[in-house]
Amino acid sequence: MYAPVRRGCSKLKLPEHVREYLDRKGIWELFPPQREAVEKGLFDDENLLIAAPTASGKTLLAEMRALHELIESHGETRVVYVVPFRALAREKYEELTNVIEFCREKGLEPTIEISTGDVRRPIRELRPGITVTTAEKLDASLRSRPSLVEEVDLLVLDEVHIVGDRNRGATYEALIALVRTFREKVSLLALSATVGNAEELADWLDATPVISDWRPVKLEHRIVEVPSASEKDAKVRKLIRKCLREGGQALVFLYSRRRAMTEAKNLSRTVSGLLSEDEKKELRTLAERVSELGEGEETEILAYAVMRGVAFHHAGLTAEQRALVEDAFREGLLKVVVSTPTLAAGVNLPARYVIIKDFGMRLGNEIKPTKNEFKQMAGRAGRPGYDDMGLVFVLTTSNWKELAEEYVHSEADPVQSRIWVSGPQLRRFLLGLVAAGFCRQIADVMRVALNTFMSSVNIRPEDAVLSSLKMLVDWGFLEELEGELTATKVGHAVSQSYLTPDSAKFLLRCMEEVGTEENVVLPSITLCPDFQPAPISSKSRELSTLDAFMGGSPSIEADEVLELAVEEFGYDDWELERRLAWAEALSDWVSGSPDRSILRKYDLYPGDLYRAKDDAAWIAWGMSRLARAAGITWRSPLLSRRLEYGVPKEALELTEVEGVGRTLAMRLYRAGYHSVRDLAEATVPELTRVRGIGEQLARKILESARRLTGT
């Protein structure tokens, strides 16, 4: 929708197949940073770093490079397109599909695949064509199949500035260092936002830099001083009305999920009166779809707002709901999206107006937004092909006005490496190098370490590497003899499970010293650092100790799990209470309690619950592998699958049937269907008596059940 019309450039030297591809997309002129990239070797097998603002055409450069290499190799090149976020993977997959379709029209047979999420299911092979994946998924896959690194021909690193992110940066940087060390012939195309040290990033990647501040739509910042925070609401409403009457769309950024919901609901009353009857009809259909994709108060508020042309967007929504909001905004159906800053970092969603309502907030020890967060949010202003100018409105009180001026007129901050201060992620990286067979000596590990970004800016890695390797030896995950490194049996299990060694050490202690029964495993999972708990209400819990939580079983020293967590990680009372509340919520989940009941009881967002159960299922699976490697009897064999599907063990078998998810499995179980064979012996009229099953779904269930039972 936002692709601009470009005309009048035919002198640039482009391969004929690339020119034909651009012609089909209606592109007759490249943007300045795109032209510079071509001139600096985009089609000459050169490593390039493109550092440019949002909407300056970086993704098109990746399409052109991938297309050229696929055509030149007769469809045999293997392109790996790495993104930092799953939502971005979906977006890039859809865009890169055009490249594959073009190649197939030329008689070639490359494929395109998307592989994100569950690290329990690693990438087994890289087929000729394009694989879109996340850094975590590719990193985890290399532990199970290290030879994958030899299959990477072109590595596209999207949002490569993410190496400076405190959460994901270490893994992204480690992956790049690994591939560059063990796949010397790999070609690199790195795409970055405008950062303060793009030249340093390029030097690290042995890449030619293409650095530009050019934007297809001019950006204008307007700092709006308001007397007090309470005055901001009226100002936002006024700006929204003006934007929509001009035919534009708006993004409003806030730092609170709850306030984003409230803001969207309030703004929907302003926007609804500016919609046409046709738009209202389409929005009613969209709202119905939103309601089908989730439960709870948040879904009800989202559907209410969507029906009136507004949505909120944050990580608490389900992935399907977020995708629906993003697509409807791109299509112009939704007029306003109120979001937390995560949208600015992860999804390409431009708007005519960007309104930064929360400027100068104190969150913990930080002032929000940070300068780079501000640049990311502001960069969403201006829709190429639709707007002559993107407007950024910064709403601030007088005491924060000077900082706002500084942000507007200063350059982005430089990217800083996180890898040597990342602790658990660094140890996971080093253990993986040895366990997967990439490194057999300390000198080999150092060779990889010297390929990290931090090392390239003259910060030596030796002390951090040696101290982390010593920890891994002390914990029993590695053995070292005169510089030779080998992974122990347990170390291999830790590496292939993709748990951090720090979490694995704690989980092993819990299993060895307390037990592996489900009522021990669940709190062990939520108390380990690899489980990253979203906000949750613990008010429903009247349990002051883990012993009470676990039912006071006389055979288990329940408080010992709690003591181990405090000993290992130094949790305070608030953190312990939060993590134990999650253990109880997950206990309700595997017992088959309805989603709506769990969401209400713990004041949760659907997206948070579903991510938590996915993480818990992965950690439980990892624990089972650790137990097997350590010779510990694992007494929770079904827990990982029950966490995945959210059903008690009695109903788990029903989820094997196609079309039967969590809710339907519980309804079928309560209706007397306790096994796949029970379903196979049913009839269509009998199944349609179960709420939620129509004739078409009944036939699908019967066909699947009979296939599974061979009847």
Side-chain angles (χ1 to χ4, degrees):
M1 174 180 175
Y2 299 123
V5 177
R6 315 173 208 174
R7 300 181 181 276
C9 179
S10 58
K11 296 181 180 179
L12 200 62
K13 292 183 179 179
L14 297 175
E16 187 57 38
H17 45 265
V18 173
R19 189 178 296 279
E20 182 182 348
Y21 178 75
L22 295 176
D23 285 346
R24 290 194 187 185
K25 290 174 73 77
I27 297 171
W28 294 280
E29 183 176 357
L30 296 180
F31 289 154
Q34 294 170 332
R35 291 199 297 270
E36 184 180 348
V38 171
E39 291 164 354
K40 288 188 173 180
L42 181 68
F43 304 117
D44 298 329
D45 204 30
E46 292 288 333
N47 291 347
L48 291 180
L49 168 75
I50 318 296
T54 299
S56 58
K58 296 190 290 287
T59 299
L60 181 61
L61 289 172
E63 291 179 49
M64 293 160 63
R65 176 70 171 263
L67 173 70
H68 179 64
E69 297 211 6
L70 284 167
I71 294 290
E72 290 293 296
S73 67
H74 305 289
E76 294 301 313
T77 288
R78 288 160 296 196
V79 180
V80 179
Y81 196 110
V82 181
V83 297
F85 308 106
R86 292 189 203 179
L88 200 56
R90 181 183 73 94
E91 181 182 318
K92 299 306 175 185
Y93 173 84
E94 292 171 357
E95 292 171 337
L96 291 163
T97 297
N98 296 323
V99 172
I100 298 301
E101 290 175 351
F102 182 90
C103 290
R104 288 173 179 167
E105 289 177 13
K106 298 298 181 183
L108 306 178
E109 297 183 354
T111 63
I112 182 164
E113 299 178 4
I114 184 169
S115 183
T116 62
D118 197 343
V119 297
R120 293 173 292 172
R121 299 174 177 87
I123 301 169
R124 293 298 178 188
E125 66 172 329
L126 296 174
R127 300 167 64 188
I130 302 173
T131 299
V132 182
T133 187
T134 58
E136 288 82 2
K137 185 60 176 275
L138 183 57
D139 186 37
S141 300
L142 287 169
R143 295 157 189 267
S144 298
R145 190 165 180 268
S147 60
L148 274 179
V149 74
E150 293 294 332
E151 299 176 11
V152 182
D153 298 317
L154 171 62
L155 184 64
V156 181
L157 302 166
D158 205 351
E159 308 283 345
V160 73
H161 57 273
I162 208 75
V163 297
D165 182 80
R166 69 180 62 184
N167 296 315
R168 285 184 157 89
T171 298
Y172 215 139
E173 183 177 348
L175 174 68
I176 295 168
L178 187 155
V179 174
R180 292 188 63 238
T181 302
F182 297 103
R183 177 61 168 159
E184 294 181 1
K185 295 182 180 179
V186 71
S187 296
L188 288 178
L189 178 62
L191 312 177
S192 172
T194 304
V195 294
N197 57 340
E199 293 90 350
E200 287 184 343
L201 281 173
D203 287 344
W204 168 45
L205 298 171
D206 293 327
T208 301
V210 176
I211 303 170
S212 175
D213 60 2
W214 183 89
R215 289 176 50 91
V217 179
K218 292 181 180 179
L219 196 63
E220 181 177 312
H221 295 80
R222 297 181 183 177
I223 298 174
V224 182
E225 186 177 341
V226 292
S228 64
S230 61
E231 302 287 326
K232 291 183 179 181
D233 292 344
K235 191 65 181 178
V236 170
R237 288 195 298 271
K238 183 177 179 180
L239 288 171
I240 293 296
R241 281 193 291 267
K242 185 174 187 297
C243 177
L244 268 58
R245 284 170 179 156
E246 294 172 354
Q249 293 169 280
L251 291 173
V252 181
F253 286 107
L254 297 168
Y255 271 89
S256 160
R257 293 180 180 183
R258 183 63 61 182
R259 288 177 53 237
M261 290 168 51
T262 302
E263 185 86 3
K265 186 176 181 180
N266 292 340
L267 287 177
S268 69
R269 302 182 186 115
T270 300
V271 172
S272 61
L274 302 172
L275 300 171
S276 69
E277 289 304 315
D278 286 344
E279 287 174 329
K280 289 178 181 178
K281 183 178 179 181
E282 287 187 72
L283 287 166
R284 281 194 293 271
T285 302
L286 182 65
E288 290 173 3
R289 181 68 180 135
V290 166
S291 297
E292 293 170 358
L293 293 173
E295 295 192 40
E297 178 191 9
E298 296 74 23
T299 294
E300 292 171 1
I301 294 174
L302 181 61
Y304 173 91
V306 163
M307 195 181 299
R308 293 158 179 80
V310 182
F312 58 88
H313 185 292
H314 57 60
L317 296 177
T318 67
E320 295 81 7
Q321 287 174 332
R322 292 198 304 273
L324 207 65
V325 168
E326 292 158 16
D327 291 343
F329 191 77
R330 287 193 190 97
E331 292 165 4
L333 184 56
L334 285 173
K335 307 303 179 183
V336 179
V337 169
V338 185
S339 175
T340 55
T342 52
L343 180 142
V347 183
N348 181 24
L349 216 63
R352 179 174 296 182
Y353 281 20
V354 164
I355 302 171
I356 302 175
K357 189 178 181 184
D358 282 352
F359 188 92
M361 285 193 64
R362 290 190 183 275
L363 292 181
N365 296 322
E366 281 192 301
I367 302 297
K368 293 292 186 178
T370 65
K371 188 191 295 184
N372 283 353
E373 286 172 343
F374 177 85
K375 298 289 186 184
Q376 286 275 10
M377 290 186 282
R380 300 300 169 194
R383 301 169 301 170
Y386 287 81
D387 301 328
D388 296 326
M389 181 176 292
L391 296 174
V392 182
F393 296 90
V394 186
L395 274 56
T396 181
T397 53
S398 58
N399 52 324
W400 294 108
K401 186 176 180 181
E402 185 176 341
L403 182 64
E405 294 278 4
E406 178 189 332
Y407 278 13
V408 168
H409 298 294
S410 62
E411 299 295 325
D413 286 334
V415 171
Q416 295 182 339
S417 171
R418 299 282 181 175
I419 191 165
W420 302 129
V421 295
S422 64
Q425 287 80 14
L426 172 60
R427 288 185 278 278
R428 179 171 63 187
F429 170 48
L430 297 177
L431 177 60
L433 288 176
V434 178
F438 288 111
C439 299
R440 290 183 171 83
Q441 297 181 334
I442 293 177
D444 298 331
V445 176
M446 288 298 180
R447 184 163 66 98
V448 182
L450 290 172
N451 268 330
T452 60
F453 179 47
M454 180 164 276
S455 180
S456 77
V457 293
N458 297 319
I459 299 177
R460 306 304 296 173
E462 286 85 350
D463 290 346
V465 170
L466 291 175
S467 63
S468 290
L469 288 175
K470 184 178 185 303
M471 284 185 187
L472 294 171
V473 171
D474 292 343
W475 295 350
F477 300 152
L478 290 181
E479 293 177 345
E480 188 266 329
L481 181 62
E482 297 181 354
E484 294 281 340
L485 294 168
T486 55
T488 64
K489 186 176 181 180
V490 173
H492 276 288
V494 175
S495 176
Q496 294 202 352
S497 70
Y498 208 59
L499 295 167
T500 60
D502 304 59
S503 285
K505 174 175 175 279
F506 167 71
L507 294 170
L508 280 164
R509 289 190 66 188
C510 289
M511 291 189 287
E512 290 169 346
E513 300 177 28
V514 184
T516 61
E517 292 78 6
E518 285 188 10
N519 62 346
V520 179
V521 171
L522 279 176
S524 298
I525 288 171
T526 62
L527 285 163
C528 83
D530 285 353
F531 183 85
Q532 298 181 0
I536 186 172
S537 171
S538 57
K539 293 177 182 177
S540 63
R541 297 185 65 250
E542 298 177 355
L543 309 169
S544 58
T545 68
L546 189 56
D547 189 49
F549 167 76
M550 294 166 65
S553 171
S555 62
I556 299 173
E557 292 293 335
D559 281 339
E560 194 170 349
V561 175
L562 184 61
E563 291 168 4
L564 286 174
V566 174
E567 178 185 331
E568 291 280 346
F569 312 119
Y571 294 141
D572 58 22
D573 290 345
W574 178 83
E575 184 68 13
L576 287 171
E577 191 71 17
R578 185 166 70 123
R579 288 178 176 273
L580 294 181
W582 267 111
E584 188 179 357
L586 291 172
S587 179
D588 288 350
W589 170 262
V590 297
S591 298
S593 295
D595 292 25
R596 181 180 289 270
S597 171
I598 298 173
L599 296 174
R600 186 184 299 115
K601 180 178 179 181
Y602 299 97
D603 194 20
L604 291 172
Y605 293 100
D608 291 337
L609 174 61
Y610 302 149
R611 271 190 304 278
K613 65 93 176 174
D614 286 343
D615 285 349
W618 154 56
I619 295 170
W621 168 80
M623 288 180 73
S624 70
R625 300 194 68 163
L626 295 182
R628 186 164 59 248
I632 300 169
T633 301
W634 179 246
R635 303 186 187 280
S636 303
L638 300 178
L639 182 58
S640 181
R641 286 186 59 215
R642 288 178 57 213
L643 283 163
E644 185 173 352
Y645 291 104
V647 294
K649 61 184 68 174
E650 296 81 9
L652 185 59
E653 183 182 329
L654 300 178
T655 62
E656 298 174 10
V657 177
E658 188 178 354
V660 177
R662 178 176 196 256
T663 301
L664 201 51
M666 294 306 300
R667 288 176 183 167
L668 287 166
Y669 186 81
R670 286 192 287 266
Y673 300 98
H674 295 169
S675 67
V676 175
R677 185 162 295 279
D678 288 344
L679 291 176
E681 293 173 353
T683 65
V684 169
E686 288 171 342
L687 288 179
T688 55
R689 295 191 192 112
V690 177
R691 185 162 63 92
I693 299 181
E695 185 173 330
Q696 184 176 356
L697 179 55
R699 294 185 186 281
K700 182 179 180 180
I701 290 171
L702 280 177
E703 181 182 342
S704 176
R706 289 168 181 171
R707 185 170 60 250
L708 288 169
T709 57
T711 58

